[in-house]
Amino acid sequence: MSFTTQMDAAKKGIITKEMRIVAGKENISPVNLRDLVASGKVVIPANRNHTNLMPIGVGEKLRTKVNVNLGVSKDCYNIELELDKAKKAIALKTDAIMDLSCYGKTREFRRKLLDISPVMIGTVPMYDVVGMLDKDLKDITVDEFFSVIERHAEDGVDFMTIHCGMNRATAARVKRNKRLTNIVSRGGSILFAWMELNNQENPFYEYYDRLLAICEKYDITLSLGDACRPGSIHDSTDAAQMEELITLGELTRHAWQQNVQVIIEGPGHIALNEIAANILLEKKLCHGAPFYVLGPLVTDIAPGYDHITSAIGGAIAAANGADFLCYVTPAEHLRLPNLDDMKEGIIASRLAAHAADIAKGIPGARDWDNQMSTARADVDFKRMIDLAIDPEKARKYREESIPECEDTCTMCGKMCPMKNMKKILNGEQLVLAD
């Protein structure tokens, strides 16, 4: 039996090879996974032109996934450096990479990235529109917008962020309800400007079926972007954000009718006490579609430390049902991240995701922690370092401060409770004095 997309296959009762691979990774039966894909609660982004992809599932009952953003810009145009970042991100076990390139030979970089990446690749085609077409924003036509979408699809991109929910009604609400930070979505602000300059509807909303046809043709997962995501905790959960979310829910159902997989994108900056409500609203209004959050950042005062504010918010969001975390680096709001920034962001987001998976009761999530605890009880520093989420850093710290006794550390020394408790419980003598 033939099928067009993973969702189409699932609805027809077919278990694809991608579903079998994902099920094996996630400790879930292929049949249960197929049913979740059919219902839209799990997506498997897998463009049929991304030939070296190792498929990954995102959504309900699966491990929380982490995305890394990278890409070239006018001020930092270095394709090789960005490819090095991608290789490092893959080595650090990211689940996805988004290419946010917005200047120069974006297609050259995108194709090289797809060639080296076994993880799913996402893009925001709107970033590519002005540079690729080399035209003033006002003069870009609807057909030209879609030509960029088609090019990204042909190249093999697995998921695309498209701001379909920023229609004229939502744009009017933004203007009526003053925000502290207006629209902070780069793609959303470009689209808003085009709509204002031309006095026209959002082409991706007006011609949504045309977009869905491209997604179905290549089996691209549509990541419905949140143009109105809050850029400050002052603006979170406001009228514009909620109106757009309602629209995204309607667009989700229509995409599912065309067998197109959907992810919903979310905030952004949001206070701790609003996170659970935001997740609940997304899951209700968008019918259980996987939720992809940027952070969220829980305070606005931490330039240089936003990987921490993001990890705090990400852990709470994922524990409450968010499925996909977009990493944030220490360079957020300040500059393009370097390799070290990227590593800090990945580790912070992976920790948030893992902590949430423990809280959600994902099968096997606690196994890693139990192994680490066993190594600590055995005072086995080599094993502890090997099990660390960042063995390189753990090894460096250990080697920088060597204890007198190898089976202790320089904080506790002979007073090491792990070592001493084992001795006492084994009936051995304990000597603490020098």
Side-chain angles (χ1 to χ4, degrees):
M1 187 182 297
S2 63
F3 59 89
T4 56
T5 68
Q6 295 291 320
M7 174 173 266
D8 182 38
K11 287 179 180 178
K12 291 174 176 175
I14 299 168
I15 297 173
T16 65
K17 69 178 187 299
E18 290 83 4
M19 292 177 202
R20 291 192 186 280
I21 292 169
V22 171
K25 293 178 182 176
E26 298 281 355
N27 296 312
I28 186 172
S29 78
V31 171
N32 287 344
L33 180 64
R34 179 201 64 196
D35 293 345
L36 288 166
V37 173
S39 70
K41 293 179 179 178
V42 165
V43 299
I44 302 177
N47 186 320
R48 55 180 53 89
N49 287 350
H50 189 177
T51 55
N52 62 336
L53 176 72
M54 285 299 295
I56 291 172
V58 180
E60 187 176 301
K61 298 183 180 178
L62 306 186
R63 179 176 57 82
T64 306
K65 304 307 187 297
V66 169
N67 172 72
V68 166
N69 291 338
L70 45 78
V72 294
S73 66
K74 185 175 182 179
D75 289 319
C76 298
Y77 188 74
N78 189 329
I79 287 178
E80 292 309 313
L81 176 59
E82 295 307 302
L83 289 172
D84 286 344
K85 287 183 187 177
K87 292 171 186 175
K88 183 69 170 177
I90 293 165
L92 289 168
K93 301 181 181 179
T94 188
D95 300 293
I97 294 173
M98 287 202 79
D99 171 17
L100 305 188
S101 296
C102 58
Y103 179 78
K105 297 179 181 179
T106 58
R107 192 173 207 186
E108 176 187 340
F109 174 69
R110 184 167 58 251
R111 286 179 162 178
K112 287 183 175 181
L113 178 61
L114 282 154
D115 284 344
I116 67 169
S117 177
V119 304
M120 56 184 175
I121 298 296
T123 60
V124 187
M126 185 58 69
Y127 296 173
D128 205 14
V129 164
V130 176
M132 182 184 130
L133 300 172
D134 196 23
K135 295 176 68 172
D136 287 340
L137 179 63
K138 183 179 186 299
D139 298 329
I140 295 172
T141 67
V142 171
D143 285 343
E144 286 171 331
F145 276 124
F146 278 95
S147 72
V148 178
I149 302 288
E150 188 81 41
R151 177 175 284 198
H152 283 229
E154 290 172 354
D155 289 344
V157 169
D158 302 297
F159 66 105
M160 292 185 193
T161 293
I162 313 284
H163 299 90
C164 304
M166 168 57 81
N167 57 22
R168 297 192 75 176
T170 302
R173 193 170 295 279
V174 171
K175 290 188 283 186
R176 288 198 306 271
N177 295 270
K178 181 63 179 173
R179 288 177 141 199
L180 197 61
T181 47
N182 296 311
I183 293 177
V184 299
S185 160
R186 188 170 19 165
S189 65
I190 294 169
L191 196 52
F192 180 91
W194 184 89
M195 293 163 63
E196 291 290 301
L197 289 169
N198 290 284
N199 194 31
Q200 288 190 43
E201 182 58 275
N202 175 353
F204 302 118
Y205 179 78
E206 185 173 4
Y207 304 104
Y208 188 55
D209 283 336
R210 184 174 176 179
L211 174 63
L212 294 179
I214 296 172
C215 292
E216 184 181 20
K217 178 180 176 182
Y218 295 91
D219 196 3
I220 293 164
T221 298
L222 182 57
S223 193
L224 288 170
D226 52 336
C228 294
R229 73 169 181 265
S232 59
I233 59 172
H234 177 276
D235 295 342
S236 61
T237 325
D238 69 354
Q241 181 193 340
M242 291 299 103
E243 177 160 320
E244 184 180 31
L245 187 63
I246 291 169
T247 302
L248 296 184
E250 294 170 346
L251 294 173
T252 296
R253 276 193 163 163
H254 191 64
W256 288 346
Q257 290 170 1
Q258 305 302 315
N259 296 317
V260 173
Q261 301 181 99
V262 173
I263 295 170
I264 304 297
E265 297 190 11
H269 293 237
I270 182 166
L272 277 172
N273 60 308
E274 296 179 25
I275 293 175
N278 269 256
I279 306 302
L280 177 63
L281 285 167
E282 183 277 338
K283 291 293 182 179
K284 286 282 188 181
L285 295 172
C286 298
H287 323 294
F291 199 21
Y292 176 29
V293 293
L294 177 62
L297 283 70
V298 295
T299 177
D300 301 331
I301 64 166
Y305 296 92
D306 275 329
H307 59 309
I308 298 173
T309 65
S310 167
I312 294 168
I316 295 169
N320 280 279
D323 308 285
F324 197 10
L325 304 181
C326 186
Y327 92 150
V328 173
T329 77
E332 184 77 8
H333 303 111
L334 300 171
R335 60 167 169 78
L336 192 73
N338 62 26
L339 274 166
D340 289 337
D341 299 326
M342 187 191 72
K343 178 179 178 179
E344 291 294 315
I346 291 172
I347 296 299
S349 289
R350 284 189 60 208
L351 285 168
H354 180 67
D357 288 348
I358 293 170
K360 286 192 283 194
I362 297 296
R366 287 178 178 263
D367 292 351
W368 187 4
D369 298 78
N370 292 340
Q371 291 174 47
M372 178 65 84
S373 296
T374 299
R376 285 182 174 146
D378 292 338
V379 202
D380 185 345
F381 284 94
K382 182 183 182 303
R383 180 71 173 145
M384 283 184 244
I385 290 168
D386 289 342
L387 285 166
I389 194 168
D390 182 2
E392 182 183 3
K393 188 171 186 178
R395 186 173 296 106
K396 178 175 176 287
Y397 274 39
R398 175 70 176 169
E399 291 173 353
E400 282 179 349
S401 189
I402 303 297
E404 180 183 358
C405 301
E406 281 190 14
D407 56 351
T408 64
C409 74
T410 52
M411 173 173 277
C412 296
K414 290 182 178 180
M415 294 184 184
C416 173
M418 295 292 194
K419 179 181 176 181
N420 293 338
M421 282 301 300
K422 289 194 79 167
K423 284 189 173 183
I424 291 295
L425 292 173
N426 287 334
E428 299 176 31
Q429 292 296 313
L430 190 61
V431 179
L432 298 181
D434 290 329

